[in-house]
Amino acid sequence: MLTEQMILRIPGPTPVPPRVQLAMQQPMIGHRDPETSDLLKQVGPGLQQLFGTTQQVSIVAGSGTSGLEAAVINTVAPGEKVIVCVTGAFGERFVSICKSYEIDVVVLEEQWGEAVNADRLKKSLLEHSDVTAVFLTYCETSTGVLNPIEKLSSVVHKYSDALVIVDAVSCLGGVETKLDDWGLDIVVTGSQKALMLPGGLMFVAFSERARAKMEANPRPRFYLDLLKYDKASKEFSTPFTPATSLLFGLQEVVQLLAEETIEGVYDRHRLMREMTRRGLEAMNLNLLATDAVASPTVTAFTVPTVEAKQVRKALKEQFGIRIAAGQGHQKDTVLRIGHMGYCTATDVLTVLTALEIVLMDLGHTFSPGAGTVAAQQVFLKKGTGVHV
């Protein structure tokens, strides 16, 4: 094996397209120069399409977690009550952020591998009529669950006046998102997942309801004051120093997505999800999420006969392929394959074939070639041959 070759199939960071890498190598420009304003002006419409909004999308130099924290501190005052829906490790992160800011948190937790139950959310809203916000994780990266955000948002608005705040870090750009039509109040994402960039950018858009709550919120904030970013974005600027090289990369990402079309992007992600899931099932592996709630961007599974760390180690050493471990209490039992962003059916077939070899070598029992054949059958029925 070529020791410098690395095939990254984790749920973030994800591979960066060569065109994007090349774009980021452009000479540095002044972040207050007209060239930077032009960059921000050019990427704006593409970001609005991804968020499904006519509102401005602000760009922040920071991680996805900075976006989660910003969503909390801009909208919730000390002592106010919120509901945090937890379906995995990143729902728990929202809980931790809220508690660190002296917020009264009602935790609505589901078993890891399951989606938020709309009836349980309704019950919680009726029991806690004073909640000011509901925090949801669109794709729970730790379990591969895609929560039904449109349905859950409808429940929140029907039974409360709470804001709907969504972590879309590990799926926006790979699944349909409609901030305006679904009544979402804040949506946050990061650059290093389906948006095919290195880590370092956070993107956020919010509704007029959220704006009013932010303006009335007495909580102090400075760097993560979203009203500052919103005001600056309307002038095609940023309140603080942007990550200029990443903006060059973002310009190329927006162009790549436009060339494929957003519908084509979503179709490709759904195809990769089905190929991955059917392939893993054919290898007698256990999927963590059901088909009904499975994310198009990441798949979590367990191997009933082999330690998860052995599988990861063998894939890395024999093939240079990196897949991810589970998180929290599942870190030693769950494996996760990322299939988002700069990823195609070819990549899925590569990982499944290598996984078959590793599992056979480790003594796991299944019909050799079954996983690859199952994935091929999905492609033959649904595939379009799109190669990004």
Side-chain angles (χ1 to χ4, degrees):
M1 184 186 76
L2 298 175
T3 56
E4 292 185 356
Q5 185 183 54
M6 181 175 66
I7 300 171
L8 199 61
R9 290 275 68 89
I10 62 175
T14 63
V16 177
R19 278 173 55 179
V20 176
Q21 291 178 342
L22 188 61
M24 291 188 294
Q25 294 175 13
Q26 295 185 55
M28 190 55 59
I29 58 176
H31 63 277
R32 298 298 177 219
D33 288 348
E35 291 84 354
T36 301
S37 293
D38 289 342
L39 270 177
L40 294 170
K41 185 181 299 184
Q42 290 168 26
V43 301
L47 290 174
Q48 288 175 311
Q49 182 184 30
L50 291 173
F51 276 79
T53 185
T54 58
Q55 300 287 350
Q56 204 74 22
V57 179
S58 296
I59 303 173
V60 182
S63 68
T65 300
S66 75
L68 307 188
E69 184 163 346
V72 171
I73 64 175
N74 279 267
T75 58
V76 187
E80 288 187 334
K81 183 186 291 186
V82 302
I83 294 174
V84 179
C85 298
V86 177
T87 57
F90 289 91
E92 289 184 343
R93 183 167 298 185
F94 255 145
V95 173
S96 297
I97 294 170
C98 288
K99 287 185 175 179
S100 71
Y101 283 102
E102 300 178 345
I103 294 168
D104 184 5
V105 181
V106 177
V107 179
L108 183 63
E109 186 164 12
E110 307 288 352
Q111 182 176 329
W112 286 30
E114 296 182 1
V116 177
N117 182 286
D119 290 334
R120 291 192 67 219
L121 176 58
K122 171 186 172 181
K123 183 174 184 291
S124 185
L125 288 165
L126 293 174
E127 290 175 352
H128 303 280
S129 59
D130 54 342
V131 297
T132 60
V134 175
F135 292 87
L136 300 165
T137 307
Y138 197 171
C139 171
E140 177 49 69
T141 323
S142 64
T143 64
V145 166
L146 191 74
N147 281 298
I149 295 299
E150 180 181 9
K151 180 178 181 179
L152 297 173
S153 178
S154 177
V155 170
V156 174
H157 289 307
K158 184 174 182 179
Y159 295 101
S160 77
D161 293 321
L163 298 178
V164 178
I165 299 175
V166 178
D167 163 10
V169 171
S170 65
C171 64
L172 192 141
V175 302
E176 185 177 54
T177 306
K178 293 187 175 182
L179 186 149
D180 294 348
D181 291 350
W182 297 351
L184 311 181
D185 292 297
I186 300 181
V187 175
V188 172
T189 197
S191 56
Q192 78 281 13
K193 306 279 187 174
L195 294 184
M196 304 184 288
L197 286 162
L201 291 181
M202 180 269 283
F203 307 90
V204 58
F206 54 83
S207 69
E208 291 303 316
R209 284 197 341 132
R211 181 193 305 279
K213 187 70 167 66
M214 291 178 193
E215 291 172 343
N217 184 8
R219 185 188 295 281
R221 60 264 192 193
F222 186 76
Y223 184 77
L224 292 178
D225 185 344
L226 294 182
L227 293 175
K228 290 178 182 176
Y229 286 92
D230 184 64
K231 179 182 178 181
S233 67
K234 288 179 169 60
E235 301 167 354
F236 307 111
S237 183
T238 58
F240 308 106
T241 305
T244 312
S245 294
L246 292 178
L247 293 181
F248 281 123
L250 176 62
Q251 182 185 38
E252 198 64 33
V253 166
V254 169
Q255 180 61 35
L256 277 168
L257 296 177
E259 290 172 8
E260 189 177 359
T261 75
I262 197 62
E263 293 80 11
V265 171
Y266 298 156
D267 285 344
R268 173 166 53 84
H269 281 80
R270 284 190 289 265
L271 173 63
M272 293 188 296
R273 173 187 60 192
E274 295 308 305
M275 290 176 66
T276 302
R277 290 177 66 81
R278 300 294 79 83
L280 295 175
E281 283 180 336
M283 287 184 247
N284 296 332
L285 304 176
N286 301 323
L287 299 172
L288 203 60
T290 65
D291 284 355
V293 297
S295 173
T297 58
V298 55
T299 297
F301 65 99
T302 61
V303 184
T305 57
V306 181
E307 287 188 1
K309 63 182 180 182
Q310 290 183 283
V311 177
R312 291 180 63 232
K313 183 174 184 288
L315 280 172
K316 179 181 177 181
E317 291 180 351
Q318 295 179 38
F319 297 101
I321 294 174
R322 271 73 163 180
I323 65 173
Q327 295 190 319
H329 67 276
Q330 296 179 334
K331 66 178 183 178
D332 295 325
T333 56
V334 168
L335 294 166
R336 295 176 297 147
I337 297 174
H339 38 81
M340 71 181 89
Y342 190 56
C343 184
T344 66
T346 305
D347 299 300
V348 172
L349 290 170
T350 299
V351 173
L352 291 177
T353 300
L355 182 59
E356 285 193 316
I357 295 171
V358 164
L359 291 175
M360 286 188 286
D361 191 44
L362 292 172
H364 180 65
T365 302
F366 64 100
S367 178
T372 305
V373 169
Q376 291 172 348
Q377 290 173 341
V378 172
F379 183 85
L380 290 170
K381 291 178 181 177
K382 301 181 180 180
T384 60
V386 172
H387 185 82
V388 291

